[in-house]
PDB file of all heavy atoms in Angstrom:
ATOM      1  N   CYS B 183     151.804  83.033 117.259  1.00 98.00           N
ATOM      2  CA  CYS B 183     150.356  82.971 117.504  1.00 98.00           C
ATOM      3  C   CYS B 183     150.047  82.438 118.903  1.00 98.00           C
ATOM      4  O   CYS B 183     150.588  81.414 119.318  1.00 98.00           O
ATOM      5  CB  CYS B 183     149.718  82.072 116.443  1.00 98.00           C
ATOM      6  SG  CYS B 183     147.958  81.827 116.688  1.00 98.00           S
ATOM      7  N   ILE B 184     149.154  83.167 119.615  1.00 98.00           N
ATOM      8  CA  ILE B 184     148.747  82.723 120.957  1.00 98.00           C
ATOM      9  C   ILE B 184     147.360  82.051 120.936  1.00 98.00           C
ATOM     10  O   ILE B 184     146.771  81.804 121.974  1.00 98.00           O
ATOM     11  CB  ILE B 184     148.740  83.910 121.959  1.00 98.00           C
ATOM     12  CG1 ILE B 184     147.774  85.019 121.479  1.00 98.00           C
ATOM     13  CG2 ILE B 184     150.165  84.445 122.188  1.00 98.00           C
ATOM     14  CD1 ILE B 184     147.499  86.106 122.509  1.00 98.00           C
ATOM     15  N   GLN B 185     146.829  81.817 119.711  1.00 98.00           N
ATOM     16  CA  GLN B 185     145.544  81.121 119.538  1.00 98.00           C
ATOM     17  C   GLN B 185     144.382  81.814 120.260  1.00 98.00           C
ATOM     18  O   GLN B 185     143.508  81.170 120.847  1.00 98.00           O
ATOM     19  CB  GLN B 185     145.669  79.652 120.001  1.00 98.00           C
ATOM     20  CG  GLN B 185     146.602  78.826 119.154  1.00 98.00           C
ATOM     21  CD  GLN B 185     146.145  78.663 117.704  1.00 98.00           C
ATOM     22  OE1 GLN B 185     145.017  79.009 117.330  1.00 98.00           O
ATOM     23  NE2 GLN B 185     147.042  78.178 116.857  1.00 98.00           N
ATOM     24  N   CYS B 186     144.360  83.119 120.177  1.00 98.00           N
ATOM     25  CA  CYS B 186     143.230  83.843 120.786  1.00 98.00           C
ATOM     26  C   CYS B 186     141.989  83.807 119.901  1.00 98.00           C
ATOM     27  O   CYS B 186     140.896  84.106 120.338  1.00 98.00           O
ATOM     28  CB  CYS B 186     143.631  85.286 121.062  1.00 98.00           C
ATOM     29  SG  CYS B 186     143.856  86.240 119.542  1.00 98.00           S
ATOM     30  N   LEU B 187     142.183  83.483 118.627  1.00 98.00           N
ATOM     31  CA  LEU B 187     141.102  83.354 117.630  1.00 98.00           C
ATOM     32  C   LEU B 187     140.420  84.676 117.249  1.00 98.00           C
ATOM     33  O   LEU B 187     139.357  84.679 116.638  1.00 98.00           O
ATOM     34  CB  LEU B 187     140.041  82.339 118.085  1.00 98.00           C
ATOM     35  CG  LEU B 187     140.499  80.877 118.126  1.00 98.00           C
ATOM     36  CD1 LEU B 187     139.368  79.987 118.614  1.00 98.00           C
ATOM     37  CD2 LEU B 187     140.969  80.397 116.761  1.00 98.00           C
ATOM     38  N   ARG B 188     141.042  85.783 117.594  1.00 98.00           N
ATOM     39  CA  ARG B 188     140.436  87.071 117.180  1.00 98.00           C
ATOM     40  C   ARG B 188     140.350  87.164 115.664  1.00 98.00           C
ATOM     41  O   ARG B 188     139.366  87.657 115.119  1.00 98.00           O
ATOM     42  CB  ARG B 188     141.280  88.236 117.699  1.00 98.00           C
ATOM     43  CG  ARG B 188     141.031  88.539 119.144  1.00 98.00           C
ATOM     44  CD  ARG B 188     141.611  89.901 119.451  1.00 98.00           C
ATOM     45  NE  ARG B 188     141.758  90.053 120.889  1.00 98.00           N
ATOM     46  CZ  ARG B 188     142.208  91.157 121.470  1.00 98.00           C
ATOM     47  NH1 ARG B 188     142.584  92.185 120.742  1.00 98.00           N
ATOM     48  NH2 ARG B 188     142.299  91.227 122.775  1.00 98.00           N
ATOM     49  N   CYS B 189     141.384  86.736 114.989  1.00 98.00           N
ATOM     50  CA  CYS B 189     141.385  86.802 113.516  1.00 98.00           C
ATOM     51  C   CYS B 189     140.238  85.975 112.946  1.00 98.00           C
ATOM     52  O   CYS B 189     139.561  86.376 112.008  1.00 98.00           O
ATOM     53  CB  CYS B 189     142.721  86.311 112.973  1.00 98.00           C
ATOM     54  SG  CYS B 189     143.137  84.659 113.552  1.00 98.00           S
ATOM     55  N   TRP B 190     140.025  84.831 113.556  1.00 98.00           N
ATOM     56  CA  TRP B 190     138.976  83.904 113.077  1.00 98.00           C
ATOM     57  C   TRP B 190     137.593  84.544 113.246  1.00 98.00           C
ATOM     58  O   TRP B 190     136.730  84.448 112.395  1.00 98.00           O
ATOM     59  CB  TRP B 190     139.079  82.603 113.887  1.00 98.00           C
ATOM     60  CG  TRP B 190     138.033  81.580 113.573  1.00 98.00           C
ATOM     61  CD1 TRP B 190     137.999  80.752 112.495  1.00 98.00           C
ATOM     62  CD2 TRP B 190     136.878  81.289 114.368  1.00 98.00           C
ATOM     63  NE1 TRP B 190     136.887  79.951 112.563  1.00 98.00           N
ATOM     64  CE2 TRP B 190     136.182  80.261 113.704  1.00 98.00           C
ATOM     65  CE3 TRP B 190     136.371  81.785 115.572  1.00 98.00           C
ATOM     66  CZ2 TRP B 190     135.004  79.718 114.199  1.00 98.00           C
ATOM     67  CZ3 TRP B 190     135.203  81.246 116.069  1.00 98.00           C
ATOM     68  CH2 TRP B 190     134.518  80.227 115.393  1.00 98.00           C
ATOM     69  N   ILE B 191     137.422  85.245 114.387  1.00 98.00           N
ATOM     70  CA  ILE B 191     136.145  85.918 114.630  1.00 98.00           C
ATOM     71  C   ILE B 191     135.963  87.077 113.644  1.00 98.00           C
ATOM     72  O   ILE B 191     134.887  87.286 113.100  1.00 98.00           O
ATOM     73  CB  ILE B 191     136.081  86.457 116.085  1.00 98.00           C
ATOM     74  CG1 ILE B 191     136.032  85.298 117.073  1.00 98.00           C
ATOM     75  CG2 ILE B 191     134.879  87.380 116.285  1.00 98.00           C
ATOM     76  CD1 ILE B 191     136.283  85.713 118.520  1.00 98.00           C
ATOM     77  N   ALA B 192     137.044  87.815 113.408  1.00 98.00           N
ATOM     78  CA  ALA B 192     136.920  89.077 112.670  1.00 98.00           C
ATOM     79  C   ALA B 192     136.908  88.905 111.159  1.00 98.00           C
ATOM     80  O   ALA B 192     136.389  89.760 110.444  1.00 98.00           O
ATOM     81  CB  ALA B 192     138.054  90.014 113.069  1.00 98.00           C
ATOM     82  N   CYS B 193     137.476  87.844 110.642  1.00 98.00           N
ATOM     83  CA  CYS B 193     137.572  87.709 109.178  1.00 98.00           C
ATOM     84  C   CYS B 193     136.185  87.712 108.544  1.00 98.00           C
ATOM     85  O   CYS B 193     135.344  86.872 108.856  1.00 98.00           O
ATOM     86  CB  CYS B 193     138.297  86.415 108.804  1.00 98.00           C
ATOM     87  SG  CYS B 193     138.230  86.130 107.019  1.00 98.00           S
ATOM     88  N   PRO B 194     135.922  88.661 107.638  1.00 95.00           N
ATOM     89  CA  PRO B 194     134.587  88.741 107.025  1.00 95.00           C
ATOM     90  C   PRO B 194     134.336  87.640 106.002  1.00 95.00           C
ATOM     91  O   PRO B 194     133.215  87.498 105.522  1.00 95.00           O
ATOM     92  CB  PRO B 194     134.587  90.129 106.378  1.00 95.00           C
ATOM     93  CG  PRO B 194     136.016  90.451 106.122  1.00 95.00           C
ATOM     94  CD  PRO B 194     136.815  89.740 107.189  1.00 95.00           C
ATOM     95  N   ASP B 195     135.362  86.891 105.637  1.00 92.00           N
ATOM     96  CA  ASP B 195     135.188  85.885 104.598  1.00 92.00           C
ATOM     97  C   ASP B 195     135.445  84.464 105.088  1.00 92.00           C
ATOM     98  O   ASP B 195     135.627  83.574 104.279  1.00 92.00           O
ATOM     99  CB  ASP B 195     136.110  86.216 103.415  1.00 92.00           C
ATOM    100  CG  ASP B 195     135.565  87.399 102.648  1.00 92.00           C
ATOM    101  OD1 ASP B 195     134.513  87.246 102.026  1.00 92.00           O
ATOM    102  OD2 ASP B 195     136.172  88.494 102.712  1.00 92.00           O
ATOM    103  N   SER B 196     135.435  84.282 106.384  1.00 93.00           N
ATOM    104  CA  SER B 196     135.653  82.947 106.972  1.00 93.00           C
ATOM    105  C   SER B 196     136.877  82.282 106.361  1.00 93.00           C
ATOM    106  O   SER B 196     136.855  81.091 106.038  1.00 93.00           O
ATOM    107  CB  SER B 196     134.422  82.047 106.774  1.00 93.00           C
ATOM    108  OG  SER B 196     133.278  82.700 107.267  1.00 93.00           O
ATOM    109  N   ALA B 197     137.922  83.071 106.176  1.00 96.00           N
ATOM    110  CA  ALA B 197     139.105  82.542 105.484  1.00 96.00           C
ATOM    111  C   ALA B 197     140.230  82.143 106.446  1.00 96.00           C
ATOM    112  O   ALA B 197     141.302  81.735 105.993  1.00 96.00           O
ATOM    113  CB  ALA B 197     139.614  83.559 104.462  1.00 96.00           C
ATOM    114  N   ILE B 198     140.007  82.286 107.749  1.00 98.00           N
ATOM    115  CA  ILE B 198     140.993  81.779 108.709  1.00 98.00           C
ATOM    116  C   ILE B 198     140.667  80.306 108.966  1.00 98.00           C
ATOM    117  O   ILE B 198     139.553  79.972 109.389  1.00 98.00           O
ATOM    118  CB  ILE B 198     140.960  82.572 110.040  1.00 98.00           C
ATOM    119  CG1 ILE B 198     141.266  84.069 109.806  1.00 98.00           C
ATOM    120  CG2 ILE B 198     141.922  81.961 111.048  1.00 98.00           C
ATOM    121  CD1 ILE B 198     142.696  84.381 109.390  1.00 98.00           C
ATOM    122  N   VAL B 199     141.606  79.459 108.656  1.00 97.00           N
ATOM    123  CA  VAL B 199     141.358  78.019 108.751  1.00 97.00           C
ATOM    124  C   VAL B 199     141.713  77.534 110.161  1.00 97.00           C
ATOM    125  O   VAL B 199     142.757  77.905 110.707  1.00 97.00           O
ATOM    126  CB  VAL B 199     142.217  77.252 107.707  1.00 97.00           C
ATOM    127  CG1 VAL B 199     141.920  75.764 107.755  1.00 97.00           C
ATOM    128  CG2 VAL B 199     141.967  77.814 106.316  1.00 97.00           C
ATOM    129  N   THR B 200     140.814  76.745 110.732  1.00 98.00           N
ATOM    130  CA  THR B 200     141.089  76.185 112.060  1.00 98.00           C
ATOM    131  C   THR B 200     140.910  74.670 112.034  1.00 98.00           C
ATOM    132  O   THR B 200     140.175  74.128 111.193  1.00 98.00           O
ATOM    133  CB  THR B 200     140.121  76.757 113.121  1.00 98.00           C
ATOM    134  OG1 THR B 200     138.788  76.467 112.719  1.00 98.00           O
ATOM    135  CG2 THR B 200     140.283  78.250 113.317  1.00 98.00           C
ATOM    136  N   GLU B 201     141.608  74.031 112.942  1.00 97.00           N
ATOM    137  CA  GLU B 201     141.408  72.593 113.175  1.00 97.00           C
ATOM    138  C   GLU B 201     141.362  72.387 114.668  1.00 97.00           C
ATOM    139  O   GLU B 201     142.243  72.907 115.384  1.00 97.00           O
ATOM    140  CB  GLU B 201     142.582  71.792 112.589  1.00 97.00           C
ATOM    141  CG  GLU B 201     142.321  71.312 111.168  1.00 97.00           C
ATOM    142  CD  GLU B 201     143.598  70.806 110.502  1.00 97.00           C
ATOM    143  OE1 GLU B 201     144.339  70.059 111.161  1.00 97.00           O
ATOM    144  OE2 GLU B 201     143.838  71.200 109.340  1.00 97.00           O
TER     145      GLU B 201
END
Side-chain angles (χ1 to χ4, degrees):
Chain B
C183 176
I184 59 169
Q185 294 296 350
C186 69
L187 292 179
R188 281 195 197 182
C189 55
W190 177 77
I191 292 167
C193 173
D195 286 292
S196 306
I198 300 291
V199 183
T200 58
E201 267 167 45

